Amino acid sequence: QVQLVESGGGLAQAGGSLWLSCVASGRTISNYLMAWFRQAPGKEREFVAAINWSGGSTYYADSVKGRFTISRDNAKNTVYLQMNSLKPEDTAVYHCAAAPRGFTAQPIMSPYKYDYWGQGTQVTVSS
């Protein structure tokens, strides 16, 4: 098993930036697909970005592409989300998620693909 703890959330103005971190413990995440999801009040959990084990492949929701960047540092057992050009609609609780290697029928953007979740960090973007 792996435990995930997010940090870096807070309040930002529209057009501003935030840097999120997710530190894993219990297992090395080098063998895991890592992702960020977000959930706003009254909304379903939404895929934001994912990164494969090597960091060589990244995936983004259309709503954040060009503004957010996901990265990872396996030596530090950490995944990051750099968020630029923030918009009020980015306001949500952001969760880090991990999927171990193995076959799954779920696509990368499905929350059901991921076995481990952090508690989340609140991101609030004011207009």
Side-chain angles (χ1 to χ4, degrees):
Q1 293 187 343
V2 60
Q3 295 78 47
L4 306 173
V5 179
E6 304 94 336
S7 63
L11 178 65
Q13 293 182 331
S17 298
L18 286 172
W19 171 264
L20 305 184
S21 298
C22 171
V23 179
S25 62
R27 290 282 186 90
T28 298
I29 63 168
S30 59
N31 294 327
Y32 288 73
L33 174 71
M34 303 297 296
W36 290 93
F37 287 77
R38 65 188 182 186
Q39 188 165 22
K43 304 288 187 178
E44 295 183 352
R45 188 163 293 188
E46 176 188 22
F47 173 78
V48 176
I51 186 167
N52 76 339
W53 68 270
S54 70
S57 297
T58 57
Y59 312 86
Y60 296 95
D62 288 343
S63 59
V64 306
K65 189 174 183 180
R67 300 189 297 121
F68 292 7
T69 302
I70 189 170
S71 61
R72 67 192 297 165
D73 186 341
N74 288 338
K76 298 178 68 174
N77 229 28
T78 302
V79 63
Y80 306 98
L81 186 68
Q82 175 66 52
M83 304 185 295
N84 297 323
S85 301
L86 285 164
K87 303 175 180 179
E89 51 262 45
D90 295 320
T91 296
V93 176
Y94 283 70
H95 295 268
C96 180
R101 290 182 66 181
F103 174 80
T104 175
Q106 301 293 334
I108 288 173
M109 66 287 299
S110 171
Y112 299 105
K113 186 178 185 67
Y114 300 87
D115 294 325
Y116 306 106
W117 295 84
Q119 292 294 306
T121 184
Q122 176 71 48
V123 170
T124 302
V125 183
S126 65
S127 59

mmCIF file of all heavy atoms in Angstrom, residues 60-86:
data_model
loop_
_atom_site.group_PDB
_atom_site.id
_atom_site.type_symbol
_atom_site.label_atom_id
_atom_site.label_comp_id
_atom_site.label_asym_id
_atom_site.label_seq_id
_atom_site.Cartn_x
_atom_site.Cartn_y
_atom_site.Cartn_z
ATOM 1 N N TYR A 60 -3.352 15.372 -19.881
ATOM 2 C CA TYR A 60 -4.027 16.511 -19.295
ATOM 3 C C TYR A 60 -5.473 16.590 -19.757
ATOM 4 O O TYR A 60 -5.798 16.266 -20.901
ATOM 5 C CB TYR A 60 -3.334 17.819 -19.678
ATOM 6 C CG TYR A 60 -1.928 17.944 -19.159
ATOM 7 C CD1 TYR A 60 -0.844 17.598 -19.948
ATOM 8 C CD2 TYR A 60 -1.691 18.413 -17.868
ATOM 9 C CE1 TYR A 60 0.450 17.708 -19.470
ATOM 10 C CE2 TYR A 60 -0.397 18.528 -17.382
ATOM 11 C CZ TYR A 60 0.670 18.171 -18.186
ATOM 12 O OH TYR A 60 1.953 18.287 -17.709
ATOM 13 N N ALA A 61 -6.309 17.032 -18.840
ATOM 14 C CA ALA A 61 -7.657 17.388 -19.232
ATOM 15 C C ALA A 61 -7.609 18.616 -20.125
ATOM 16 O O ALA A 61 -6.743 19.487 -19.974
ATOM 17 C CB ALA A 61 -8.509 17.670 -17.994
ATOM 18 N N ASP A 62 -8.541 18.693 -21.059
ATOM 19 C CA ASP A 62 -8.575 19.834 -21.961
ATOM 20 C C ASP A 62 -8.700 21.159 -21.208
ATOM 21 O O ASP A 62 -8.174 22.182 -21.648
ATOM 22 C CB ASP A 62 -9.734 19.696 -22.942
ATOM 23 C CG ASP A 62 -9.497 18.622 -23.990
ATOM 24 O OD1 ASP A 62 -8.330 18.211 -24.174
ATOM 25 O OD2 ASP A 62 -10.479 18.193 -24.622
ATOM 26 N N SER A 63 -9.369 21.126 -20.081
ATOM 27 C CA SER A 63 -9.612 22.343 -19.333
ATOM 28 C C SER A 63 -8.356 22.938 -18.706
ATOM 29 O O SER A 63 -8.344 24.119 -18.354
ATOM 30 C CB SER A 63 -10.654 22.095 -18.240
ATOM 31 O OG SER A 63 -10.216 21.083 -17.350
ATOM 32 N N VAL A 64 -7.301 22.134 -18.566
ATOM 33 C CA VAL A 64 -6.079 22.618 -17.926
ATOM 34 C C VAL A 64 -4.870 22.573 -18.842
ATOM 35 O O VAL A 64 -3.807 23.103 -18.481
ATOM 36 C CB VAL A 64 -5.766 21.843 -16.633
ATOM 37 C CG1 VAL A 64 -6.964 21.856 -15.692
ATOM 38 C CG2 VAL A 64 -5.337 20.411 -16.934
ATOM 39 N N LYS A 65 -4.999 21.973 -19.997
ATOM 40 C CA LYS A 65 -3.874 21.838 -20.909
ATOM 41 C C LYS A 65 -3.317 23.212 -21.279
ATOM 42 O O LYS A 65 -4.067 24.121 -21.619
ATOM 43 C CB LYS A 65 -4.293 21.079 -22.160
ATOM 44 C CG LYS A 65 -3.136 20.698 -23.066
ATOM 45 C CD LYS A 65 -3.599 19.828 -24.220
ATOM 46 C CE LYS A 65 -2.433 19.392 -25.083
ATOM 47 N NZ LYS A 65 -2.888 18.536 -26.206
ATOM 48 N N GLY A 66 -2.014 23.336 -21.202
ATOM 49 C CA GLY A 66 -1.361 24.600 -21.474
ATOM 50 C C GLY A 66 -1.216 25.491 -20.267
ATOM 51 O O GLY A 66 -0.462 26.469 -20.318
ATOM 52 N N ARG A 67 -1.915 25.165 -19.188
ATOM 53 C CA ARG A 67 -1.839 25.957 -17.964
ATOM 54 C C ARG A 67 -1.196 25.188 -16.814
ATOM 55 O O ARG A 67 -0.479 25.780 -16.005
ATOM 56 C CB ARG A 67 -3.229 26.419 -17.535
ATOM 57 C CG ARG A 67 -3.929 27.289 -18.567
ATOM 58 C CD ARG A 67 -5.206 27.896 -17.998
ATOM 59 N NE ARG A 67 -6.181 26.871 -17.637
ATOM 60 C CZ ARG A 67 -6.672 26.696 -16.413
ATOM 61 N NH1 ARG A 67 -6.284 27.488 -15.419
ATOM 62 N NH2 ARG A 67 -7.569 25.742 -16.172
ATOM 63 N N PHE A 68 -1.474 23.886 -16.734
ATOM 64 C CA PHE A 68 -0.966 23.055 -15.648
ATOM 65 C C PHE A 68 0.129 22.137 -16.179
ATOM 66 O O PHE A 68 0.094 21.706 -17.336
ATOM 67 C CB PHE A 68 -2.073 22.191 -15.045
ATOM 68 C CG PHE A 68 -3.140 22.939 -14.301
ATOM 69 C CD1 PHE A 68 -3.201 24.322 -14.285
ATOM 70 C CD2 PHE A 68 -4.105 22.233 -13.599
ATOM 71 C CE1 PHE A 68 -4.191 24.993 -13.599
ATOM 72 C CE2 PHE A 68 -5.104 22.891 -12.904
ATOM 73 C CZ PHE A 68 -5.152 24.272 -12.902
ATOM 74 N N THR A 69 1.066 21.807 -15.309
ATOM 75 C CA THR A 69 2.131 20.872 -15.644
ATOM 76 C C THR A 69 2.297 19.872 -14.510
ATOM 77 O O THR A 69 2.495 20.261 -13.359
ATOM 78 C CB THR A 69 3.461 21.598 -15.882
ATOM 79 O OG1 THR A 69 3.314 22.553 -16.933
ATOM 80 C CG2 THR A 69 4.547 20.596 -16.272
ATOM 81 N N ILE A 70 2.214 18.592 -14.840
ATOM 82 C CA ILE A 70 2.460 17.543 -13.867
ATOM 83 C C ILE A 70 3.887 17.042 -14.038
ATOM 84 O O ILE A 70 4.398 16.939 -15.156
ATOM 85 C CB ILE A 70 1.444 16.393 -14.004
ATOM 86 C CG1 ILE A 70 1.579 15.399 -12.846
ATOM 87 C CG2 ILE A 70 1.563 15.696 -15.349
ATOM 88 C CD1 ILE A 70 0.460 14.365 -12.793
ATOM 89 N N SER A 71 4.533 16.748 -12.933
ATOM 90 C CA SER A 71 5.887 16.218 -12.964
ATOM 91 C C SER A 71 6.082 15.293 -11.769
ATOM 92 O O SER A 71 5.248 15.247 -10.866
ATOM 93 C CB SER A 71 6.927 17.347 -12.963
ATOM 94 O OG SER A 71 6.820 18.137 -11.794
ATOM 95 N N ARG A 72 7.178 14.570 -11.783
ATOM 96 C CA ARG A 72 7.453 13.680 -10.662
ATOM 97 C C ARG A 72 8.943 13.594 -10.415
ATOM 98 O O ARG A 72 9.759 13.782 -11.319
ATOM 99 C CB ARG A 72 6.861 12.288 -10.902
ATOM 100 C CG ARG A 72 7.505 11.500 -12.031
ATOM 101 C CD ARG A 72 6.673 10.279 -12.388
ATOM 102 N NE ARG A 72 6.575 9.343 -11.278
ATOM 103 C CZ ARG A 72 5.684 8.348 -11.208
ATOM 104 N NH1 ARG A 72 4.798 8.188 -12.185
ATOM 105 N NH2 ARG A 72 5.670 7.532 -10.165
ATOM 106 N N ASP A 73 9.268 13.297 -9.180
ATOM 107 C CA ASP A 73 10.640 13.072 -8.769
ATOM 108 C C ASP A 73 10.629 11.766 -7.990
ATOM 109 O O ASP A 73 10.303 11.738 -6.804
ATOM 110 C CB ASP A 73 11.158 14.228 -7.919
ATOM 111 C CG ASP A 73 12.630 14.101 -7.585
ATOM 112 O OD1 ASP A 73 13.183 12.991 -7.677
ATOM 113 O OD2 ASP A 73 13.238 15.126 -7.219
ATOM 114 N N ASN A 74 10.950 10.686 -8.668
ATOM 115 C CA ASN A 74 10.877 9.380 -8.032
ATOM 116 C C ASN A 74 11.877 9.234 -6.891
ATOM 117 O O ASN A 74 11.619 8.502 -5.937
ATOM 118 C CB ASN A 74 11.082 8.278 -9.068
ATOM 119 C CG ASN A 74 9.896 8.125 -9.995
ATOM 120 O OD1 ASN A 74 8.781 8.516 -9.666
ATOM 121 N ND2 ASN A 74 10.130 7.547 -11.162
ATOM 122 N N ALA A 75 12.999 9.918 -6.982
ATOM 123 C CA ALA A 75 13.976 9.870 -5.904
ATOM 124 C C ALA A 75 13.423 10.462 -4.617
ATOM 125 O O ALA A 75 13.821 10.059 -3.522
ATOM 126 C CB ALA A 75 15.260 10.587 -6.309
ATOM 127 N N LYS A 76 12.516 11.417 -4.746
ATOM 128 C CA LYS A 76 11.879 12.043 -3.597
ATOM 129 C C LYS A 76 10.497 11.478 -3.321
ATOM 130 O O LYS A 76 9.815 11.937 -2.394
ATOM 131 C CB LYS A 76 11.784 13.554 -3.803
ATOM 132 C CG LYS A 76 13.133 14.242 -3.930
ATOM 133 C CD LYS A 76 12.988 15.731 -4.184
ATOM 134 C CE LYS A 76 12.425 16.444 -2.980
ATOM 135 N NZ LYS A 76 12.419 17.924 -3.177
ATOM 136 N N ASN A 77 10.077 10.511 -4.129
ATOM 137 C CA ASN A 77 8.774 9.875 -3.958
ATOM 138 C C ASN A 77 7.647 10.908 -3.975
ATOM 139 O O ASN A 77 6.717 10.859 -3.165
ATOM 140 C CB ASN A 77 8.721 9.071 -2.663
ATOM 141 C CG ASN A 77 8.193 7.668 -2.862
ATOM 142 O OD1 ASN A 77 8.333 7.080 -3.939
ATOM 143 N ND2 ASN A 77 7.587 7.117 -1.824
ATOM 144 N N THR A 78 7.742 11.822 -4.919
ATOM 145 C CA THR A 78 6.853 12.974 -4.944
ATOM 146 C C THR A 78 6.365 13.249 -6.358
ATOM 147 O O THR A 78 7.112 13.102 -7.328
ATOM 148 C CB THR A 78 7.568 14.213 -4.388
ATOM 149 O OG1 THR A 78 8.009 13.948 -3.051
ATOM 150 C CG2 THR A 78 6.636 15.416 -4.357
ATOM 151 N N VAL A 79 5.117 13.660 -6.457
ATOM 152 C CA VAL A 79 4.551 14.135 -7.703
ATOM 153 C C VAL A 79 4.085 15.569 -7.489
ATOM 154 O O VAL A 79 3.651 15.938 -6.390
ATOM 155 C CB VAL A 79 3.407 13.218 -8.191
ATOM 156 C CG1 VAL A 79 2.252 13.207 -7.202
ATOM 157 C CG2 VAL A 79 2.935 13.631 -9.576
ATOM 158 N N TYR A 80 4.170 16.377 -8.532
ATOM 159 C CA TYR A 80 3.876 17.794 -8.432
ATOM 160 C C TYR A 80 2.824 18.201 -9.454
ATOM 161 O O TYR A 80 2.631 17.557 -10.474
ATOM 162 C CB TYR A 80 5.134 18.626 -8.685
ATOM 163 C CG TYR A 80 6.311 18.263 -7.819
ATOM 164 C CD1 TYR A 80 7.308 17.420 -8.298
ATOM 165 C CD2 TYR A 80 6.428 18.760 -6.529
ATOM 166 C CE1 TYR A 80 8.394 17.084 -7.513
ATOM 167 C CE2 TYR A 80 7.508 18.426 -5.738
ATOM 168 C CZ TYR A 80 8.492 17.593 -6.234
ATOM 169 O OH TYR A 80 9.568 17.264 -5.448
ATOM 170 N N LEU A 81 2.187 19.304 -9.167
ATOM 171 C CA LEU A 81 1.305 19.939 -10.131
ATOM 172 C C LEU A 81 1.553 21.436 -10.082
ATOM 173 O O LEU A 81 1.227 22.086 -9.088
ATOM 174 C CB LEU A 81 -0.165 19.635 -9.843
ATOM 175 C CG LEU A 81 -1.150 20.146 -10.888
ATOM 176 C CD1 LEU A 81 -0.985 19.384 -12.203
ATOM 177 C CD2 LEU A 81 -2.585 20.031 -10.382
ATOM 178 N N GLN A 82 2.136 21.961 -11.140
ATOM 179 C CA GLN A 82 2.323 23.395 -11.279
ATOM 180 C C GLN A 82 1.103 23.959 -11.985
ATOM 181 O O GLN A 82 0.792 23.553 -13.103
ATOM 182 C CB GLN A 82 3.587 23.704 -12.079
ATOM 183 C CG GLN A 82 3.800 25.186 -12.369
ATOM 184 C CD GLN A 82 4.068 25.990 -11.120
ATOM 185 O OE1 GLN A 82 4.937 25.644 -10.333
ATOM 186 N NE2 GLN A 82 3.309 27.068 -10.926
ATOM 187 N N MET A 83 0.432 24.883 -11.346
ATOM 188 C CA MET A 83 -0.790 25.459 -11.876
ATOM 189 C C MET A 83 -0.559 26.936 -12.156
ATOM 190 O O MET A 83 -0.286 27.716 -11.238
ATOM 191 C CB MET A 83 -1.954 25.272 -10.898
ATOM 192 C CG MET A 83 -2.201 23.817 -10.521
ATOM 193 S SD MET A 83 -3.678 23.611 -9.493
ATOM 194 C CE MET A 83 -3.156 24.487 -8.026
ATOM 195 N N ASN A 84 -0.668 27.304 -13.405
ATOM 196 C CA ASN A 84 -0.508 28.681 -13.835
ATOM 197 C C ASN A 84 -1.799 29.186 -14.457
ATOM 198 O O ASN A 84 -2.674 28.409 -14.827
ATOM 199 C CB ASN A 84 0.630 28.802 -14.851
ATOM 200 C CG ASN A 84 1.977 28.423 -14.288
ATOM 201 O OD1 ASN A 84 2.277 28.696 -13.130
ATOM 202 N ND2 ASN A 84 2.811 27.806 -15.121
ATOM 203 N N SER A 85 -1.891 30.494 -14.586
ATOM 204 C CA SER A 85 -3.053 31.128 -15.203
ATOM 205 C C SER A 85 -4.351 30.608 -14.600
ATOM 206 O O SER A 85 -5.293 30.244 -15.309
ATOM 207 C CB SER A 85 -3.030 30.905 -16.721
ATOM 208 O OG SER A 85 -1.851 31.431 -17.297
ATOM 209 N N LEU A 86 -4.399 30.594 -13.294
ATOM 210 C CA LEU A 86 -5.541 30.023 -12.596
ATOM 211 C C LEU A 86 -6.824 30.794 -12.882
ATOM 212 O O LEU A 86 -6.809 32.015 -13.050
ATOM 213 C CB LEU A 86 -5.275 29.992 -11.097
ATOM 214 C CG LEU A 86 -4.311 28.896 -10.642
ATOM 215 C CD1 LEU A 86 -3.816 29.184 -9.233
ATOM 216 C CD2 LEU A 86 -4.995 27.536 -10.701
#
